Amino acid sequence: MNSFYKKIFASCLFLAIQFTAIAQKDNMVLVKGGEFIPLYGVDSMTVKVSSFLMDVYPVTNSEYQKFVIEHPKWQKSQVLKLYADDSYLTDWKNDTTIPEGLLPNAPITSVSWFAAKAYCEYEGKRLPTVDEWEFAAMADETTADARKKEDYNKFILGWYETANSAKKPVGSAFKNFWGIYDLHGSVWEWTLDFNSVLISGESRQDVDKDSNRFCGSAAVGASDLMNYAAFMRYAFRGSVKARYSIKNLGFRCIKDVATEQ
Protein backbone atom coordinates (compact mmCIF):
# COMPACT_ATOMS: atom_id res chain seq x y z
CA MET A 1 0.00 0.00 0.00
CA ASN A 2 1.62 3.29 -1.09
CA SER A 3 1.77 6.41 1.11
CA PHE A 4 -1.23 8.08 -0.58
CA TYR A 5 -3.57 5.17 0.14
CA LYS A 6 -2.14 4.80 3.62
CA LYS A 7 -3.10 8.41 4.33
CA ILE A 8 -6.62 7.87 2.96
CA PHE A 9 -7.02 4.70 5.01
CA ALA A 10 -5.72 6.42 8.17
CA SER A 11 -8.07 9.37 7.64
CA CYS A 12 -11.09 7.09 7.18
CA LEU A 13 -10.11 5.05 10.22
CA PHE A 14 -9.74 8.21 12.30
CA LEU A 15 -13.20 9.44 11.27
CA ALA A 16 -14.73 6.05 12.02
CA ILE A 17 -13.19 6.04 15.49
CA GLN A 18 -14.44 9.58 16.06
CA PHE A 19 -17.98 8.67 15.00
CA THR A 20 -17.94 5.59 17.25
CA ALA A 21 -16.73 7.61 20.21
CA ILE A 22 -19.40 10.25 19.73
CA ALA A 23 -22.11 7.63 19.35
CA GLN A 24 -21.06 5.75 22.45
CA LYS A 25 -20.84 8.93 24.50
CA ASP A 26 -24.18 10.39 23.49
CA ASN A 27 -26.01 7.10 22.90
CA MET A 28 -26.24 7.81 19.18
CA VAL A 29 -25.51 5.72 16.11
CA LEU A 30 -24.34 6.57 12.63
CA VAL A 31 -26.86 6.38 9.80
CA LYS A 32 -24.92 6.26 6.55
CA GLY A 33 -26.41 8.54 3.93
CA GLY A 34 -27.77 7.58 0.54
CA GLU A 35 -30.63 8.19 -1.86
CA PHE A 36 -34.26 7.12 -1.69
CA ILE A 37 -37.62 7.98 -3.19
CA PRO A 38 -40.00 9.29 -0.52
CA LEU A 39 -43.76 9.69 -0.85
CA TYR A 40 -44.82 13.33 -1.06
CA GLY A 41 -48.56 13.08 -1.46
CA VAL A 42 -48.83 12.12 -5.14
CA ASP A 43 -45.42 13.46 -6.19
CA SER A 44 -42.23 11.48 -5.60
CA MET A 45 -38.62 12.36 -6.30
CA THR A 46 -35.20 10.98 -5.49
CA VAL A 47 -33.77 12.61 -2.37
CA LYS A 48 -30.14 12.49 -1.26
CA VAL A 49 -29.59 12.22 2.49
CA SER A 50 -26.20 12.91 4.05
CA SER A 51 -24.87 10.74 6.87
CA PHE A 52 -25.95 11.73 10.38
CA LEU A 53 -25.93 10.55 13.97
CA MET A 54 -29.32 9.69 15.47
CA ASP A 55 -30.40 9.05 19.05
CA VAL A 56 -30.77 5.34 19.71
CA TYR A 57 -33.94 6.01 21.74
CA PRO A 58 -36.65 8.67 21.87
CA VAL A 59 -36.13 11.34 24.53
CA THR A 60 -37.44 10.07 27.87
CA ASN A 61 -39.49 11.59 30.68
CA SER A 62 -36.46 11.77 32.97
CA GLU A 63 -34.33 13.45 30.30
CA TYR A 64 -37.02 16.02 29.65
CA GLN A 65 -37.48 16.53 33.40
CA LYS A 66 -33.81 17.52 33.65
CA PHE A 67 -34.31 19.93 30.76
CA VAL A 68 -37.27 21.77 32.31
CA ILE A 69 -35.50 22.00 35.68
CA GLU A 70 -32.53 23.68 34.00
CA HIS A 71 -34.73 25.78 31.68
CA PRO A 72 -37.80 26.93 33.67
CA LYS A 73 -39.31 28.75 30.68
CA TRP A 74 -40.26 25.31 29.32
CA GLN A 75 -42.03 24.24 32.52
CA LYS A 76 -45.73 23.56 32.36
CA SER A 77 -46.78 26.72 34.20
CA GLN A 78 -44.20 28.97 32.53
CA VAL A 79 -44.26 28.07 28.85
CA LEU A 80 -45.64 30.76 26.58
CA LYS A 81 -48.94 29.93 24.90
CA LEU A 82 -47.31 30.92 21.65
CA TYR A 83 -45.08 27.86 21.96
CA ALA A 84 -47.39 25.22 23.45
CA ASP A 85 -51.12 24.61 23.73
CA ASP A 86 -53.06 23.68 26.87
CA SER A 87 -52.20 19.98 26.46
CA TYR A 88 -48.49 20.60 27.06
CA LEU A 89 -47.23 18.09 29.68
CA THR A 90 -50.88 17.43 30.40
CA ASP A 91 -50.24 14.49 32.77
CA TRP A 92 -47.64 16.31 34.85
CA LYS A 93 -49.13 17.46 38.16
CA ASN A 94 -46.55 20.23 38.59
CA ASP A 95 -43.62 21.75 36.77
CA THR A 96 -40.83 19.32 37.63
CA THR A 97 -42.29 16.04 38.89
CA ILE A 98 -42.94 13.05 36.65
CA PRO A 99 -46.39 11.84 37.72
CA GLU A 100 -47.20 8.36 38.93
CA GLY A 101 -48.11 6.14 36.03
CA LEU A 102 -45.41 7.54 33.76
CA LEU A 103 -42.11 5.66 33.78
CA PRO A 104 -38.97 7.82 33.89
CA ASN A 105 -37.55 5.79 30.99
CA ALA A 106 -40.70 5.98 28.84
CA PRO A 107 -40.79 8.42 25.90
CA ILE A 108 -41.72 11.99 26.73
CA THR A 109 -44.94 13.00 24.96
CA SER A 110 -47.37 15.92 25.12
CA VAL A 111 -44.63 18.33 24.10
CA SER A 112 -44.86 20.84 21.28
CA TRP A 113 -42.56 21.15 18.27
CA PHE A 114 -41.11 24.31 19.77
CA ALA A 115 -40.25 22.47 22.99
CA ALA A 116 -38.77 19.49 21.15
CA LYS A 117 -36.64 21.79 19.00
CA ALA A 118 -35.43 23.67 22.09
CA TYR A 119 -34.52 20.42 23.85
CA CYS A 120 -32.43 19.18 20.93
CA GLU A 121 -30.62 22.52 20.74
CA TYR A 122 -29.98 22.30 24.50
CA GLU A 123 -28.27 18.95 23.81
CA GLY A 124 -26.20 20.41 20.98
CA LYS A 125 -28.30 18.51 18.46
CA ARG A 126 -31.35 19.13 16.27
CA LEU A 127 -34.57 17.50 15.19
CA PRO A 128 -34.29 15.27 12.11
CA THR A 129 -35.83 16.44 8.88
CA VAL A 130 -38.70 14.45 7.40
CA ASP A 131 -36.33 12.95 4.83
CA GLU A 132 -33.74 11.99 7.46
CA TRP A 133 -36.36 10.40 9.69
CA GLU A 134 -37.96 8.50 6.80
CA PHE A 135 -34.55 7.33 5.58
CA ALA A 136 -33.63 5.89 8.99
CA ALA A 137 -37.11 4.42 9.47
CA MET A 138 -37.00 2.43 6.21
CA ALA A 139 -34.87 -0.16 8.00
CA ASP A 140 -36.13 -3.28 9.71
CA GLU A 141 -33.90 -5.49 11.87
CA THR A 142 -31.76 -6.76 9.01
CA THR A 143 -31.94 -4.42 6.01
CA ALA A 144 -31.53 -0.68 5.44
CA ASP A 145 -34.59 -0.51 3.18
CA ALA A 146 -37.40 -2.89 4.12
CA ARG A 147 -40.25 -0.88 2.62
CA LYS A 148 -41.20 -3.60 0.16
CA LYS A 149 -41.42 -6.29 2.84
CA GLU A 150 -45.09 -7.07 3.38
CA ASP A 151 -44.71 -8.28 6.97
CA TYR A 152 -42.78 -5.15 7.94
CA ASN A 153 -45.42 -2.83 6.53
CA LYS A 154 -48.21 -4.84 8.15
CA PHE A 155 -46.43 -4.45 11.49
CA ILE A 156 -46.24 -0.67 11.02
CA LEU A 157 -49.88 -0.39 10.00
CA GLY A 158 -50.95 -2.63 12.85
CA TRP A 159 -49.21 -0.26 15.25
CA TYR A 160 -50.88 2.75 13.61
CA GLU A 161 -54.22 1.10 14.35
CA THR A 162 -53.61 1.41 18.10
CA ALA A 163 -50.56 3.66 18.68
CA ASN A 164 -50.89 3.42 22.44
CA SER A 165 -47.32 2.61 23.45
CA ALA A 166 -46.29 5.90 25.08
CA LYS A 167 -46.15 4.37 28.57
CA LYS A 168 -43.73 1.57 27.64
CA PRO A 169 -39.98 2.00 28.31
CA VAL A 170 -37.83 3.07 25.40
CA GLY A 171 -36.30 0.07 23.70
CA SER A 172 -39.57 -1.89 23.83
CA ALA A 173 -39.88 -1.89 20.05
CA PHE A 174 -37.32 -3.54 17.78
CA LYS A 175 -33.77 -2.39 17.06
CA ASN A 176 -33.38 -1.71 13.36
CA PHE A 177 -30.50 -2.20 10.93
CA TRP A 178 -28.77 0.99 12.10
CA GLY A 179 -29.06 0.11 15.81
CA ILE A 180 -31.98 2.48 16.46
CA TYR A 181 -34.94 1.48 18.61
CA ASP A 182 -38.59 2.52 18.52
CA LEU A 183 -38.86 4.36 15.20
CA HIS A 184 -41.99 2.26 14.75
CA GLY A 185 -44.03 0.66 17.51
CA SER A 186 -43.55 3.26 20.25
CA VAL A 187 -44.62 6.89 19.67
CA TRP A 188 -44.97 9.21 16.70
CA GLU A 189 -42.09 11.68 16.47
CA TRP A 190 -41.68 15.36 15.62
CA THR A 191 -39.47 16.31 12.67
CA LEU A 192 -37.78 19.61 12.00
CA ASP A 193 -39.79 20.37 8.86
CA PHE A 194 -42.92 18.39 9.78
CA ASN A 195 -45.22 20.76 7.89
CA SER A 196 -43.14 20.98 4.70
CA VAL A 197 -45.31 18.38 2.96
CA LEU A 198 -48.96 19.29 2.53
CA ILE A 199 -51.34 16.45 1.70
CA SER A 200 -54.80 17.91 1.17
CA GLY A 201 -57.13 20.53 2.56
CA GLU A 202 -59.17 17.88 4.34
CA SER A 203 -56.16 16.50 6.19
CA ARG A 204 -55.43 19.90 7.69
CA GLN A 205 -58.86 20.59 9.12
CA ASP A 206 -58.92 21.01 12.87
CA VAL A 207 -59.94 17.78 14.58
CA ASP A 208 -59.47 16.33 18.03
CA LYS A 209 -55.67 16.03 18.29
CA ASP A 210 -55.56 12.78 20.22
CA SER A 211 -58.09 10.71 18.29
CA ASN A 212 -58.95 9.79 14.71
CA ARG A 213 -55.26 10.07 13.75
CA PHE A 214 -53.85 6.66 14.43
CA CYS A 215 -56.28 4.39 12.59
CA GLY A 216 -54.59 1.90 10.27
CA SER A 217 -56.93 -1.08 10.32
CA ALA A 218 -58.53 -0.20 7.01
CA ALA A 219 -55.12 -0.19 5.37
CA VAL A 220 -53.90 -3.64 6.37
CA GLY A 221 -55.38 -5.19 3.25
CA ALA A 222 -54.28 -2.41 0.91
CA SER A 223 -52.42 -3.47 -2.23
CA ASP A 224 -49.54 -1.03 -1.69
CA LEU A 225 -48.79 -1.14 2.03
CA MET A 226 -45.53 0.78 1.69
CA ASN A 227 -47.22 3.82 0.15
CA TYR A 228 -50.16 3.66 2.52
CA ALA A 229 -47.94 3.61 5.62
CA ALA A 230 -45.89 6.52 4.29
CA PHE A 231 -49.04 8.42 3.35
CA MET A 232 -50.37 8.08 6.90
CA ARG A 233 -47.18 9.60 8.29
CA TYR A 234 -47.25 12.52 5.86
CA ALA A 235 -50.97 13.05 6.47
CA PHE A 236 -50.42 13.07 10.22
CA ARG A 237 -47.60 15.59 9.95
CA GLY A 238 -49.74 17.73 7.67
CA SER A 239 -52.55 17.81 10.24
CA VAL A 240 -50.59 19.06 13.26
CA LYS A 241 -49.39 22.51 14.24
CA ALA A 242 -46.19 23.46 16.04
CA ARG A 243 -48.06 24.36 19.26
CA TYR A 244 -49.81 21.00 19.49
CA SER A 245 -48.92 18.70 22.37
CA ILE A 246 -50.24 15.21 21.68
CA LYS A 247 -50.24 12.24 24.04
CA ASN A 248 -48.61 9.87 21.57
CA LEU A 249 -46.21 12.32 19.93
CA GLY A 250 -42.61 12.46 21.16
CA PHE A 251 -39.25 13.09 19.51
CA ARG A 252 -35.57 12.21 19.24
CA CYS A 253 -32.59 14.23 18.08
CA ILE A 254 -29.81 13.92 15.54
CA LYS A 255 -26.38 15.42 14.88
CA ASP A 256 -24.82 16.34 11.58
CA VAL A 257 -21.66 14.44 10.66
CA ALA A 258 -18.73 16.72 9.92
CA THR A 259 -16.57 15.44 7.09
CA GLU A 260 -13.05 16.45 6.11
CA GLN A 261 -12.38 17.61 2.59
Side-chain angles (χ1 to χ4, degrees), residues 50-117:
S50 299
S51 298
F52 56 91
L53 294 165
M54 178 173 259
D55 286 348
V56 172
Y57 304 107
V59 175
T60 65
N61 288 311
S62 62
E63 290 169 333
Y64 199 78
Q65 179 189 42
K66 180 175 180 288
F67 168 66
V68 298
I69 289 173
E70 295 184 10
H71 295 79
K73 69 178 182 179
W74 292 106
Q75 293 176 4
K76 182 176 181 178
S77 67
Q78 302 297 321
V79 68
L80 296 177
K81 297 300 181 183
L82 179 66
Y83 298 136
D85 63 11
D86 291 338
S87 297
Y88 179 73
L89 297 178
T90 185
D91 291 327
W92 290 43
K93 303 306 180 184
N94 58 45
D95 285 337
T96 59
T97 304
I98 300 171
E100 294 182 9
L102 289 183
L103 296 174
N105 63 340
I108 183 67
T109 59
S110 297
V111 293
S112 67
W113 175 86
F114 292 107
K117 181 174 180 288

Side-chain angles (χ1 to χ4, degrees), residues 188-257:
W188 297 69
E189 297 184 5
W190 282 112
T191 57
L192 185 64
D193 53 345
F194 71 95
N195 57 358
S196 64
V197 180
L198 304 182
I199 303 299
S200 69
E202 289 77 7
S203 71
R204 295 190 59 83
Q205 290 177 359
D206 286 339
V207 294
D208 175 64
K209 297 191 302 300
D210 293 319
S211 62
N212 300 322
R213 287 211 175 136
F214 312 113
C215 181
S217 58
V220 173
S223 59
D224 194 337
L225 299 178
M226 175 187 72
N227 280 347
Y228 201 100
F231 175 81
M232 290 187 70
R233 291 193 292 275
Y234 287 115
F236 171 72
R237 294 177 183 127
S239 70
V240 298
K241 298 178 182 178
R243 292 179 63 251
Y244 283 1
S245 306
I246 300 172
K247 285 188 176 182
N248 207 56
L249 178 57
F251 68 99
R252 74 180 74 216
C253 310
I254 74 166
K255 277 184 178 180
D256 296 308
V257 172

